[in-house]
Amino acid sequence: MKLYCLSGHPTLPCNVLKFKSTTIMLDCGLDMTSTLNFLPLPLVQSPRLSNLPGWSLKDGNAFLDKTELIDLSTVDVILISNYHCMMALPYITEHTGFSGTVYATEPTVQIGRLLMEELVNFIERVPKAQSASLWKNKDIQRLLPSPLKDAVEVSTWRRCYTMQEVNSALSKIQLVGYSQKIELFGAVQVTPLSSGYALGSSNWIIQSHYEKVSYVSGSSLLTTHPQPMDQASLKNSDVLILTGLTQIPTANPDGMVGEFCSNLALTVRNGGNVLVPCYPSGVIYDLLECLYQYIDSAGLSNIPFYFISPVANSSLEFSQIFAEWLCHNKQTKVYLPEPPFPHAELIQTNKLKHYPSLHGDFSSDFRQPCVVFTGHPSLRFGDVVHFMELWGKSSLNTVIFTEPDFSYLEALAPYQPLAMKCIYCPIDTRLNFIQVSKLLKEVQPLHVVCPEQYTQPPPAQSHRMDLMIDCQPPAMSYRRAEVLALPFKRRYEKIEIMPELADALVPMEIKPGISLATVSAVLHTKDNKHVLQPPPRPAQPTGGKKRKRASEDIPDCKVLKPLLSGSIPVEQFVQTLEKHGFSDIKVEDTAKGHIVLLQEAETLIQIEEDSTHIICDNDEMLRVRLRDLVLKFLQKF
Amino acid sequence: MRVAGARTRTHTPNWPTRCPGISSLTMDPECSQLLPALCAVLADPRQPMADDTCLEKLLDWFKTITEAGSSLLLLQGNPCLVELLCHMLKPQDLSSRVLAFSLRLTGVLAAQEDCFQYLQQGELLPKLFGEAGPLGGAAWTSPTVRSGWIQGLRSLAQHPSALHFLADCGAVDTIFSLQEDSSLFVASAAGQLLVHILGLSMPGPAGGPPSLQAGDWPACAQKIVGHIEESLRATATPQITQALNVLTTTFGHCHDPWTQVLWVRLSPLVAGLLEKDPVPAAHSLVDLLLSVARSPGLSSSSCGLWETLAQTLSHLSPTQAGPLALGILKLQDCPQALRAQAFAVLLQPLACVLKATAQDPGPSGVLDGIVGDSMTADMLLPSKAACVGLLCRTLAHLELLLPLPQRPCPWPQAPLLGAAVTLLQLCGGSARPTSDAGRHLCALLLGCVRVQRAALDFLGTLSEGTGPRELVTQVFAVLLEYLRSPDSSPTVLKKAFQATFRWLLSSPKTPGCWDLDPHALLFLRDLLPVLQKRLCSPCWEVRDSGLEFLTQMTRHWGGQAGFRHALLASEVPKLTEQLLRDPESYVRASAVTAMGQLSSQGLCVPPAGPEHPGGQQKSLLAELLHILSTDSEGFPRRAVMQVFTQWLRDSHADVAGDTEQFVAGVLQVASQDLDWEVRAQGLELALVFLEQTLGQPRSHCPCAVTPAVAAPVGPLAQALQPLCRVRLFEFAFRALFDCDRPVAQKSCDLLLFLRAKTASSGSLQESRSSPHVASVEAALQRWQAGDQAQPLGDLEPEVVLAVLRSLDLEGLQGALAESSDHVEKSPQSLLQDMLATVGVLGGNEADCY
């Protein structure tokens, strides 16, 4: 069993698990941090950006950062754990020869589609007149300023996919529900479990009859909107692959939400505007819910909230219809009937307005001071670029970063000098290390596998021993482009026996509760299922050709030796040997059993759990004698 | 305190009223008449007492009577009492409460020796307290009876005859066994009774020093001391604990010479306990040693007490030794070496923290060397709970010690500051320990609210001393870190605000100027943005503590240029103004107080800008009046009244313009308020106005003023005119009959004060007979009866004075001083109530037939 690690980003994992002849890809996250190397794509030509010294507009969207460790066409299935971890899907399923199936829950697919749609829309609506790719040439790259010159494998950076590719990729997805058991080629069974992080987010269990691998990716124990995490089903795993922990382990989401609200109110009360760069789904639902409770008390009821995204409307609507994927108290609202999320009321009362883009209705409704939620959190494309240009000059305004995926300082770099206030309130509800250590204690996997980042404290806080996974045995770590042999051997395989064959068995009890029977059968293997079938009846020997075939498959023609069972108690065996005249007996303990040494006779008896050997030099008489003594201790049938 | 809105009549002052005695000291005839019936009821098992609080009250009453007079006469005058006690001896199904009551009553009565003899003659005492009594019966299973038995004996044991009685009836052995009673109350009472008996049997201070020889001690004392010795030798911890507790109480209560002899005799056994591992009953042992050390009867040096204390300090675990160390340090006279040892024990956990984080223990070196090589930070690390508990206790102990005059000297201010700062950094995650122990400690303490709170409290207390500049800088840095951190819980934030204020207060002053020093001003520049953000917090507790902090700061530095400049440059005043409309009433109240304070100091910025185009922004006065008349919660309205009173006192600019109109308006609104505290505060404001009008500074207690110290300026009538114009008298008279007693009391005081002021000035004509006066008096009668609808109309000063004189204000004051249940508290009503309760029960029974 092997794990191919294709991504070095712990929260955007992409691993391939080879398990019982199946090749399973676990997630395909897209690391977009490389976009920070490019200039923002403004909606309107920005003289400031285009005149920056030493910079020129380049083809601003190169993402894929993946090594060719494995032939993607050999991947049988892809399991998606949440919508953030499927953003690279078109790169994997399109133009690679991939012919497998992708499994994901319905909200994951729908919201994932929205995220991709938004991304494609953001990029495509500002087509560039020119594109540059010569710089990727290693000789030229070397001459570029840092960090570009240090970027690895820039040749693999790709352009953003198209909507067509997205649609094609999404068409390969098969929808699944929590706890649904999906058979893969009869060899393994995969099951999604609720992970509590986002709408439809899942952890996966991959199991055969005798082995169980759990894949935990992006889970949360906080009570936000999604269904709570299913921990119990993760018990008794042989291996637990742990990814997608919180990116900001030192920031407590509750404190950050409070910080977010305080700063928002402070800015708006002073007549400033608030810009929140965010994804169109996920934490934004929780933020809107907090604001719903807070705005009245903070005297902000007449401040407009704008949500601008090509998919804003769909996102707000979708969240309301996935009742079965929500936490219990949101589910119960549906039966009242009330919308599960309070943003419906914000929309009704005109406090929250949503627009597909800056153009059109928004420009006529726009009123300041206001709060704007819009993408993209990298500040490199999307409507946020416009607001940064618009509001950046005034110190009354504030940009509040809530998404932890990008370094906010790097994101802000092209906008400097900046007068507006910047607040960093990363809200990451995924598991922190304290929660992980509790989870591991409860679930008790035999082995834990995780990205190497989790096995040591963060470099900037090397004294924080609490910011790493602490478990016994120590977790196995992986890094990008590594192949890991998972530390367990498959020892058993399940074989079914046909009823008529079972009927013919004559079990013999050899000790209380254990019976044995011999069976002669044909092992039939198809689709990774093994069945013992009755042997075909010996055909009448009608000719030479037939006879030959008959002799091949009739094992019962041979004289059957009796089968032996039981174990040899060494002390009694030695006493018996002494009784029979052997002296100078020495017993040695070995790793697997014992060795009885008859020094005079220069003979060695090796007794192990499943075999006994008598080694003596050409003294057949002695060997037979010893054999008979051994046999006395065993049962025959 | 009454909830606003529930305006019920809790008190009807009888005006003029008589002042009945609370309870008569001798039994009055009415009670004597009721007593036989009550005794009969008590003796009747078919008529159970529903409520045993009346039995307690009854017993209290008997105690009062016997303390004032002769019990013997009481018994002889009321034979039903003896009958009741005799009745207890008959085998029957009596309620355990009545039985316990009877035992306790017997004890109370037999406390006087003649009465004791009287009861002895009838063999009543041995029958009640001996084997023949409840002791041997089924009733003994009830803890109430066992407790009654002990308490009876406790009351009874007051004279030598009682001692003989106890010895004769073998009560002491029973008390020994009751020390292990399953009921904690019984067990503890048994221990206390033993102490009492021991004290009674030993010779008093006049008896001369008793002999060390056991044979010379009274038999009873010998028995008890023998029992204690035996218990101290026992292996079972509960037994040792009992013995130690008895000794602790003994040394705590009795300081006669014999206690020293007792200690000399028992101290080897006590010291023997230290040889066991672990030391049994460590807490009780600590209590005992401290009790002995504090006892003035013992000359500690001669009894080897200091050695024992030193030995104990070194034997106990850090958690157990902490309280002992604190106790030793609080002792007035104690050898310096022992104090040093105790202080070292107390400081040990903090020294470990400093050591684990590899810090310099400080130039004073007091914490240096406390932690030897063998004793490392490991003592802190076994578990989170142990570590947190030990640190919190240590901090609390040191906090207690700091303000005491006998605190150790030199006080290691700098290392302690360093330790507090380090602890806060460890909890906040900003510490960067390099050692393994430090990292482990960091993991244990991270985010621990308990330690954060304790350390912030301690840090605040440390502000009373000074520290090296760089440490003080660190203090401010860590405080700012806590105030900034989004993870600080509301309670931690509150404490951080408090500590910050204390440190700002203690920051060095520029000579001749009360302004903050330059460093503090720099800090303030960082602090104000944090405060701004906290005032916008979604958590109301945080907004509230932020406002309280602002009020405190403004009160202290509101007049100082540096502070004013920084504050006015920030958004804080504007945000505070917005919080007047906060949805949470506590926050509104704090905002009112803060705004009042800001306005007093001229720190309110008139709002201007795009939000309020055109029209003039409401003045703060109008805004506060609006809150006073419309806010649905009491707290903001109370706060407004306090601000107004302060403004009036300080002649605030908004008020000084037209004071009369201001007072009239406020009093009118306040008189309608449903919250009595608002009305009471209205009277406070009225008093300030009255003083200002009559031209005399206010003394602390108006009713204490000796009449007419100084004549008012100008003719009295003229002086009273403004009071009449603001309708102050109508407000005060209405308050006089207020359903809430504090309001009526305050009004009474105010009117008495006024009357005293006007009494000397005879310039005014008596106009008692005028028809106007009569109509006012009639109106007041109606008001007293509860009908306050009719207004008094415009009052002339002459009428007011006449009415004032005709009112029996002193009588009213007396009546109001009584608690509201004084009528119902008389013994007679108690007896009647008890009988009535049973009577009602009986009535029900009859109905059943």
Side-chain angles (χ1 to χ4, degrees):
Chain A
M1 184 181 297
K2 284 196 168 155
L3 190 71
Y4 297 73
C5 310
L6 305 188
S7 162
H9 195 304
T11 29
L12 294 168
C14 183
N15 296 316
V16 173
L17 178 71
K18 289 209 172 185
F19 180 31
K20 277 189 79 175
S21 74
T22 53
T23 307
I24 304 171
M25 179 178 272
L26 306 168
D27 281 331
C28 47
L30 185 60
D31 183 355
M32 293 209 269
T33 45
S34 54
T35 53
L36 292 175
N37 295 316
F38 296 85
L39 276 181
L41 299 175
L43 283 174
V44 281
Q45 183 68 19
S46 160
R48 192 185 70 83
L49 285 178
S50 47
N51 291 335
L52 280 179
W55 289 81
S56 63
L57 285 168
K58 297 188 180 110
D59 56 350
N61 6 284
F63 307 119
L64 196 68
D65 185 8
K66 198 155 288 172
T67 177
E68 296 298 325
L69 201 63
I70 196 163
D71 180 1
L72 293 178
S73 65
T74 62
V75 173
D76 296 318
V77 292
I78 303 179
L79 307 180
I80 304 290
S81 50
N82 62 61
Y83 43 79
H84 286 298
C85 291
M86 63 181 279
M87 294 298 283
L89 196 61
Y91 293 122
I92 310 239
T93 59
E94 306 311 301
H95 321 299
T96 58
F98 173 80
S99 58
T101 315
V102 185
Y103 291 99
T105 63
E106 190 180 356
T108 303
V109 177
Q110 296 299 354
I111 297 174
R113 176 196 295 277
L114 294 181
L115 292 182
M116 291 180 183
E117 227 175 86
E118 188 191 65
L119 185 63
V120 173
N121 189 310
F122 280 161
I123 302 292
E124 286 186 349
R125 73 188 183 188
V126 279
K128 284 175 302 297
Q130 52 190 357
S131 87
S133 52
L134 282 176
W135 66 273
K136 291 182 184 174
N137 183 321
K138 283 224 160 65
D139 293 332
I140 299 174
Q141 194 199 350
R142 246 185 319 123
L143 306 172
L144 292 175
S146 184
L148 269 187
K149 71 169 179 195
D150 306 320
V152 277
E153 294 183 49
V154 285
S155 56
T156 64
W157 292 7
R158 306 263 199 93
R159 294 186 70 96
C160 182
Y161 36 69
T162 63
M163 210 50 223
Q164 204 179 355
E165 287 166 327
V166 170
N167 286 331
S168 166
L170 294 182
S171 69
K172 299 184 171 75
I173 298 184
Q174 192 167 324
L175 299 183
V176 290
Y178 288 149
S179 304
Q180 183 183 336
K181 294 182 167 56
I182 302 134
E183 287 281 338
L184 301 184
F185 320 113
V188 293
Q189 197 183 55
V190 295
T191 311
L193 303 172
S194 173
S195 79
Y197 166 56
L199 273 178
S201 68
S202 11
N203 293 322
W204 291 86
I205 291 184
I206 303 138
Q207 59 187 342
S208 64
H209 293 298
Y210 295 100
E211 297 88 16
K212 177 168 170 179
V213 177
S214 297
Y215 175 58
V216 173
S217 164
S219 301
S220 176
L221 293 171
L222 295 184
T223 324
T224 53
H225 57 271
Q227 244 189 55
M229 178 178 178
D230 178 356
Q231 297 182 61
S233 309
L234 299 173
K235 284 187 181 168
N236 305 320
S237 304
D238 296 289
V239 173
L240 188 135
I241 304 170
L242 186 62
T243 65
L245 304 186
T246 176
Q247 299 189 68
I248 319 288
T250 50
N252 165 16
D254 285 338
M256 284 301 157
V257 169
E259 197 77 355
F260 172 82
C261 290
S262 304
N263 283 300
L264 185 143
L266 191 59
T267 306
V268 174
R269 283 180 176 176
N270 288 328
N273 301 293
V274 177
L275 178 63
V276 188
C278 62
Y279 295 115
S281 177
V283 171
I284 187 173
Y285 302 140
D286 298 316
L287 287 180
L288 288 175
E289 184 154 357
C290 287
L291 286 173
Y292 168 80
Q293 289 157 1
Y294 177 62
I295 51 176
D296 284 333
S297 72
L300 302 177
S301 358
N302 47 2
I303 301 295
F305 288 73
Y306 300 119
F307 176 20
I308 304 171
S309 160
V311 297
N313 185 33
S314 321
S315 164
L316 292 174
E317 301 272 317
F318 270 137
S319 63
Q320 305 283 21
I321 59 168
F322 291 123
E324 57 170 304
W325 305 89
L326 293 173
C327 62
H328 178 72
N329 64 15
K330 289 220 178 314
Q331 272 188 28
T332 49
K333 281 195 172 184
V334 179
Y335 299 104
L336 286 180
E338 267 176 32
F341 285 94
H343 55 238
E345 198 186 316
L346 288 176
I347 295 170
Q348 253 172 20
T349 52
N350 259 343
K351 285 176 185 162
L352 173 66
K353 296 180 180 180
H354 54 87
Y355 304 90
S357 83
L358 285 173
H359 306 293
D361 290 348
F362 175 71
S363 39
S364 52
D365 294 351
F366 183 48
R367 192 154 56 81
Q368 303 190 70
C370 64
V371 180
V372 169
F373 294 89
T374 189
H376 184 271
S378 67
L379 304 193
R380 291 300 178 271
F381 43 84
D383 302 278
V384 74
V385 178
H386 180 76
F387 285 100
M388 285 303 295
E389 294 276 310
L390 183 71
W391 289 343
K393 296 172 212 81
S394 166
S395 63
L396 280 180
N397 303 324
T398 306
V399 53
I400 308 182
F401 293 87
T402 56
E403 300 289 352
D405 290 354
F406 299 93
S407 146
Y408 78 105
L409 289 174
E410 280 184 51
L412 286 170
Y415 300 94
Q416 300 293 0
L418 200 65
M420 85 193 290
K421 287 194 280 286
C422 305
I423 306 287
Y424 184 53
C425 295
I427 298 171
D428 195 334
T429 58
R430 285 172 281 205
L431 296 177
N432 62 32
F433 289 98
I434 300 171
Q435 292 164 336
V436 164
S437 108
K438 272 190 194 154
L439 176 76
L440 292 181
K441 265 184 203 145
E442 185 141 331
V443 172
Q444 296 204 324
L446 289 182
H447 302 279
V448 175
V449 178
C450 66
E452 66 170 346
Q453 288 95 328
Y454 295 160
T455 56
Q456 60 218 22
Q461 289 160 303
S462 55
H463 65 289
R464 291 287 296 265
M465 304 301 281
D466 55 317
L467 300 184
M468 57 182 273
I469 290 179
D470 181 23
C471 63
Q472 281 306 325
M476 292 181 70
S477 69
Y478 65 80
R479 60 171 77 177
R480 184 173 164 274
E482 242 181 21
V483 182
L484 224 62
L486 294 184
F488 72 93
K489 274 190 179 159
R490 291 183 44 225
R491 296 182 61 186
Y492 299 104
E493 188 62 270
K494 189 174 174 176
I495 297 176
E496 283 178 9
I497 186 163
M498 296 291 283
E500 55 267 41
L501 196 60
D503 273 347
L505 293 182
V506 186
M508 193 176 93
E509 192 168 49
I510 53 159
K511 57 177 153 177
I514 297 178
S515 298
L516 284 180
T518 54
V519 61
S520 302
V522 172
L523 181 63
H524 183 264
T525 296
K526 188 185 173 188
D527 286 346
N528 292 307
K529 279 202 164 52
H530 313 288
V531 181
L532 281 182
Q533 293 177 344
R537 293 188 181 285
Q540 295 300 320
T542 49
K545 201 177 162 191
K546 291 260 166 95
R547 194 180 307 125
K548 189 184 169 199
R549 211 183 119 202
S551 67
E552 256 174 11
D553 55 11
I554 305 174
D556 51 351
C557 305
K558 291 178 192 161
V559 179
L560 283 173
K561 284 186 184 169
L563 294 169
L564 301 171
S565 73
S567 60
I568 302 162
V570 179
E571 275 178 34
Q572 288 177 31
F573 179 60
V574 171
Q575 284 168 8
T576 314
L577 287 176
E578 281 169 345
K579 245 186 242 168
H580 286 79
F582 294 96
S583 59
D584 202 10
I585 303 168
K586 216 175 144 190
V587 180
E588 279 176 24
D589 289 345
T590 65
K592 290 179 175 175
H594 307 275
I595 293 176
V596 179
L597 210 64
L598 306 178
Q599 284 176 328
E600 255 174 48
E602 286 181 17
T603 296
L604 206 115
I605 307 169
Q606 221 174 23
I607 304 171
E608 290 177 358
E609 193 191 352
D610 51 0
S611 62
T612 304
H613 291 98
I614 298 167
I615 303 163
C616 57
D617 273 349
N618 294 326
D619 190 345
E620 182 62 10
M621 286 279 285
L622 178 65
R623 190 190 73 78
V624 172
R625 251 179 89 198
L626 289 172
R627 183 199 67 188
D628 291 343
L629 287 177
V630 168
L631 286 179
K632 278 189 181 169
F633 288 94
L634 299 175
Q635 290 179 317
K636 300 177 200 61
F637 66 97
Chain B
M1 190 179 298
R2 300 196 63 75
V3 178
R7 192 171 182 169
T8 49
R9 292 193 74 84
T10 51
H11 171 64
T12 316
N14 293 339
W15 173 65
T17 182
R18 71 185 180 89
C19 178
I22 302 166
S23 57
S24 30
L25 292 182
T26 50
M27 193 176 289
D28 47 38
E30 292 91 346
C31 292
S32 283
Q33 278 178 359
L34 290 169
L35 206 52
L38 184 71
C39 288
V41 167
L42 290 176
D44 186 352
R46 289 172 307 155
Q47 294 184 321
M49 275 287 143
D51 173 17
D52 56 356
T53 54
C54 39
L55 289 176
E56 289 290 336
K57 286 181 191 166
L58 201 59
L59 203 65
D60 285 344
W61 176 51
F62 280 117
K63 265 185 206 157
T64 326
I65 296 175
T66 53
E67 276 162 15
S70 159
S71 308
L72 190 56
L73 289 179
L74 178 72
L75 278 191
Q76 285 165 344
N78 299 283
C80 60
L81 286 175
V82 180
E83 282 166 26
L84 173 69
L85 300 183
C86 291
H87 191 77
M88 295 299 132
L89 302 173
K90 295 176 190 159
Q92 58 192 317
D93 195 14
L94 268 175
S95 97
S96 54
R97 287 174 194 166
V98 174
L99 192 51
F101 166 79
S102 307
L103 290 167
R104 291 171 66 188
L105 178 62
T106 313
V108 168
L109 294 169
Q112 292 178 9
E113 200 156 3
D114 52 354
C115 190
F116 175 83
Q117 304 295 1
Y118 176 77
L119 292 171
Q120 269 290 58
Q121 284 165 16
E123 287 289 302
L124 196 60
L125 289 179
K127 281 180 191 160
L128 271 173
F129 289 100
E131 292 289 339
L135 185 50
W140 194 248
T141 51
S142 159
T144 319
V145 173
R146 298 199 296 276
S147 170
W149 185 86
I150 293 177
Q151 290 178 23
L153 284 183
R154 171 76 177 77
S155 310
L156 176 151
Q158 304 293 343
H159 37 77
S161 317
L163 272 183
H164 292 298
F165 166 70
L166 289 174
D168 292 346
C169 71
V172 176
D173 287 313
T174 314
I175 302 169
F176 289 158
S177 65
L178 284 177
Q179 277 189 291
E180 289 159 31
D181 200 274
S182 57
S183 155
L184 284 179
F185 292 103
V186 174
S188 146
Q192 302 209 352
L193 180 55
L194 279 183
V195 175
H196 179 76
I197 297 173
L198 183 63
L200 185 69
S201 61
M202 286 301 216
S211 161
L212 260 181
Q213 299 303 315
D216 300 341
W217 285 14
C220 193
Q222 272 187 43
K223 188 165 187 173
I224 294 175
V225 173
H227 173 71
I228 292 172
E229 283 176 329
E230 194 184 316
S231 302
L232 286 176
R233 285 194 201 98
T235 46
T237 308
Q239 240 176 308
I240 299 172
T241 312
Q242 285 156 18
L244 292 174
N245 288 346
V246 166
L247 287 175
T248 306
T249 322
T250 306
F251 290 109
H253 287 83
C254 184
H255 310 128
D256 291 342
W258 62 264
T259 51
Q260 183 161 354
V261 178
L262 180 67
W263 175 247
V264 170
R265 180 169 160 183
L266 293 179
S267 58
L269 282 176
V270 173
L273 294 176
L274 294 174
E275 281 152 27
K276 301 186 181 172
D277 187 32
V279 177
H283 284 295
S284 302
L285 180 61
V286 167
D287 287 346
L288 170 63
L289 292 175
L290 287 176
S291 173
V292 174
R294 287 185 199 121
S295 168
L298 273 78
S299 66
S300 321
S301 48
S302 63
C303 319
L305 177 65
W306 302 137
E307 291 74 19
T308 314
L309 283 171
Q311 217 185 336
T312 315
L313 271 180
S314 52
H315 272 78
L316 294 182
S317 72
T319 322
Q320 295 163 333
L324 180 62
L326 178 67
I328 290 174
L329 289 169
K330 278 183 176 172
L331 291 175
Q332 296 289 354
D333 49 343
C334 156
Q336 197 52 39
L338 183 60
R339 286 173 64 81
Q341 189 193 352
F343 199 37
V345 166
L346 207 54
L347 294 177
Q348 211 171 34
L350 295 186
C352 287
V353 169
L354 287 179
K355 189 177 165 135
T357 46
Q359 287 186 23
D360 180 18
S364 78
V366 177
L367 269 66
D368 201 5
I370 285 175
V371 186
D373 284 337
S374 57
M375 188 101 142
T376 57
D378 293 347
M379 64 181 270
L380 283 172
L381 301 177
S383 78
K384 180 170 176 160
C387 170
V388 168
L390 180 58
L391 284 173
C392 286
R393 268 193 299 275
T394 302
L395 292 170
H397 287 155
L398 286 169
E399 203 184 325
L400 280 175
L401 200 58
L402 186 60
L404 298 181
Q406 67 267 35
R407 74 173 191 202
C409 190
W411 179 258
Q413 172 81 0
L416 286 179
L417 261 186
V421 169
T422 307
L423 271 180
L424 285 170
Q425 285 170 338
L426 285 169
C427 295
S430 62
R432 292 183 172 275
T434 43
S435 68
D436 278 350
R439 279 192 283 265
H440 193 154
L441 197 59
C442 185
L444 285 184
L445 293 181
L446 205 77
C448 174
V449 175
R450 271 183 69 198
V451 175
Q452 286 178 347
R453 283 196 303 234
L456 282 168
D457 274 343
F458 182 56
L459 191 65
T461 318
L462 283 176
S463 72
E464 277 150 35
T466 49
R469 178 82 256 168
E470 64 275 12
L471 254 179
V472 176
T473 311
Q474 277 188 39
V475 168
F476 279 113
V478 82
L479 285 172
L480 198 60
E481 177 194 326
Y482 268 70
L483 293 174
R484 269 194 191 135
S485 164
D487 293 335
S488 295
S489 80
T491 50
V492 168
L493 260 182
K494 191 179 173 86
K495 295 215 178 275
F497 272 129
Q498 285 166 349
T500 306
F501 179 67
R502 295 178 75 171
W503 272 96
L504 279 175
L505 267 184
S506 79
S507 66
K509 315 275 182 309
T510 322
C513 167
W514 282 99
D515 208 349
L516 290 159
D517 78 325
H519 294 281
L521 276 175
L522 274 179
F523 171 71
L524 196 65
R525 215 151 289 158
D526 290 333
L527 177 68
L528 286 173
V530 178
L531 181 61
Q532 264 168 224
K533 197 178 71 186
R534 292 303 181 189
L535 291 181
C536 294
S537 165
C539 175
W540 72 262
E541 291 94 332
V542 174
R543 300 198 295 273
D544 197 46
S545 7
L547 285 170
E548 279 171 6
F549 176 64
L550 173 65
T551 309
Q552 280 181 317
M553 285 212 299
T554 314
R555 193 172 291 143
H556 270 86
W557 298 289
Q560 309 308 322
F563 177 81
R564 295 178 67 87
H565 185 74
L567 190 70
L568 286 173
S570 75
E571 305 287 341
V572 169
K574 191 171 145 197
L575 287 170
T576 311
E577 200 269 334
Q578 290 174 353
L579 289 177
L580 289 176
R581 293 172 289 281
D582 198 275
E584 182 59 51
S585 65
Y586 297 111
V587 180
R588 287 200 300 277
S590 298
V592 166
T593 312
M595 280 309 285
Q597 193 59 242
L598 286 173
S599 172
S600 293
Q601 308 275 11
L603 285 165
C604 280
V605 214
E611 295 155 74
H612 310 284
Q616 181 71 29
Q617 167 71 5
K618 263 204 284 191
S619 75
L620 180 61
L621 176 63
E623 179 103 29
L624 294 188
L625 265 178
H626 180 73
I627 292 176
L628 182 64
S629 44
T630 56
D631 203 299
S632 59
E633 299 281 334
F635 302 106
R637 303 199 308 265
R638 290 178 203 170
V640 170
M641 286 305 293
Q642 269 157 1
V643 166
F644 281 165
T645 312
Q646 194 55 45
W647 280 7
L648 185 64
R649 216 170 259 149
D650 302 345
S651 302
H652 186 279
D654 287 3
V655 174
D658 190 347
T659 313
E660 283 188 24
Q661 197 199 340
F662 165 75
V663 174
V666 174
L667 289 187
Q668 204 207 338
V669 181
S671 68
Q672 309 287 323
D673 206 290
L674 293 175
D675 184 350
W676 72 265
E677 287 199 40
V678 173
R679 301 196 298 278
Q681 191 63 40
L683 285 162
E684 185 69 30
L685 182 127
L687 189 64
V688 173
F689 182 65
L690 195 144
E691 284 164 350
Q692 287 178 349
T693 313
L694 297 185
Q696 192 182 14
R698 185 195 181 190
S699 74
H700 182 66
C701 171
C703 44
V705 172
T706 44
V709 183
V713 191
L716 189 58
Q718 203 182 327
L720 291 183
Q721 276 298 345
L723 304 183
C724 293
R725 281 199 295 275
V726 302
R727 291 182 174 262
L728 184 141
F729 294 108
E730 177 156 352
F731 179 71
F733 286 141
R734 215 178 266 277
L736 199 56
F737 307 119
D738 199 283
C739 54
D740 287 295
R741 203 151 55 96
V743 179
Q745 263 176 323
K746 206 158 181 133
S747 172
C748 196
D749 291 347
L750 180 133
L751 292 173
L752 275 168
F753 170 68
L754 184 65
R755 199 170 67 181
K757 296 272 303 184
T758 56
S760 64
S761 134
S763 63
L764 235 59
Q765 287 294 313
E766 278 284 324
S767 50
R768 187 168 194 128
S769 52
S770 99
H772 201 164
V773 174
S775 78
V776 171
E777 282 180 343
L780 291 186
Q781 296 281 3
R782 276 196 301 280
W783 282 9
Q784 189 186 7
D787 171 24
Q788 298 211 354
Q790 189 197 6
L792 286 182
D794 289 331
L795 293 176
E796 291 303 316
E798 293 79 9
V799 177
V800 170
L801 286 175
V803 173
L804 262 185
R805 287 191 188 110
S806 73
L807 284 174
D808 178 14
L809 288 173
E810 286 83 1
L812 187 57
Q813 196 182 29
L816 287 167
E818 303 285 357
S819 66
S820 49
D821 64 343
H822 67 275
V823 180
E824 289 73 29
K825 229 174 143 183
S826 76
Q828 190 188 341
S829 77
L830 172 67
L831 298 184
Q832 280 168 341
D833 279 354
M834 290 176 78
L835 285 171
T837 319
V838 181
V840 169
L841 287 176
N844 287 344
E845 219 170 59
D847 280 347
C848 295
Y849 289 109

